[in-house]
Amino acid sequence: MDALRRVGGDAHETMKRLFGEDVALKYYEHLARPPPTTARVNTLVTTPEQVAEELRGHVPEALKGSVAVVEGLPDVVLVQTLGPVDRSPSNLSKVWVSRKCGEAVLRGANIFAPGVMAAETSLTVGMRVAVYADITDSLTKGSVSSCRECS
């Protein structure tokens, strides 16, 4: 039902009418899961098995099985991602980043100062924060008080 909360009323009603409530909910749950990451291997330099073994060395023990060579695709390694993960940011201080920075974060990048558009004044070094992307490009760099309206 959490996935349903994120879908607009008209979209949900259309999905429900076309496919039924159960199929619509399964579809929303599927959309909430991040896609797997694929890596193409240069087989002139190494093998997919060697790349998969190297990647397994960088994931927690419980996730070692999430790295696999794709059968039928001789140069592809697949890394299954976890999700959806609910990390409620309600008690965290907020940082807003530019749309491009937000897109990079979704691909695993770190946030650097040029991408930060606004932040709450209560931040301290090393503090865990909730990161929001300004997808409408409505914030100006250095905004503080207008950020309250973005939540």
Side-chain angles (χ1 to χ4, degrees):
M1 277 302 191
D2 189 43
L4 178 62
R5 190 181 55 175
R6 296 185 186 111
V7 178
D10 291 342
H12 174 63
E13 289 305 317
T14 302
M15 288 289 291
K16 193 166 73 170
R17 183 172 34 83
L18 292 173
F19 305 108
E21 183 83 19
D22 291 342
V23 173
L25 287 174
K26 286 181 183 175
Y27 182 74
Y28 302 146
E29 289 171 9
H30 177 74
L31 287 177
R33 295 189 187 284
T37 299
T38 56
R40 186 155 182 226
V41 178
N42 181 348
T43 55
L44 297 175
V45 177
T46 187
T47 66
E49 290 79 12
Q50 289 173 321
V51 171
E53 194 56 41
E54 177 74 22
L55 287 171
R56 285 185 194 106
H58 296 281
V59 297
E61 191 63 38
L63 301 176
K64 299 268 188 222
S66 68
V67 180
V69 176
V70 179
E71 191 174 318
L73 297 174
D75 60 350
V76 176
V77 174
L78 182 81
V79 181
Q80 290 292 342
T81 51
L82 297 176
V85 178
D86 181 24
R87 296 188 177 122
S88 300
S90 59
N91 62 341
L92 299 175
S93 292
K94 297 173 181 70
V95 172
W96 287 264
V97 297
S98 67
R99 179 184 52 80
K100 286 188 176 188
C101 181
E103 291 170 355
V105 167
L106 290 174
R107 292 188 304 271
N110 291 321
I111 297 172
F112 294 95
V116 175
M117 297 301 293
E120 291 185 341
T121 56
S122 61
L123 294 181
T124 59
V125 175
M127 178 183 264
R128 290 188 65 200
V129 297
V131 178
Y132 294 89
D134 178 24
I135 59 173
T136 60
D137 294 325
S138 59
L139 292 175
T140 56
K141 203 135 179 95
S143 299
V144 177
S145 60
S146 63
C147 293
R148 307 250 183 263
E149 300 157 10
C150 300
S151 316

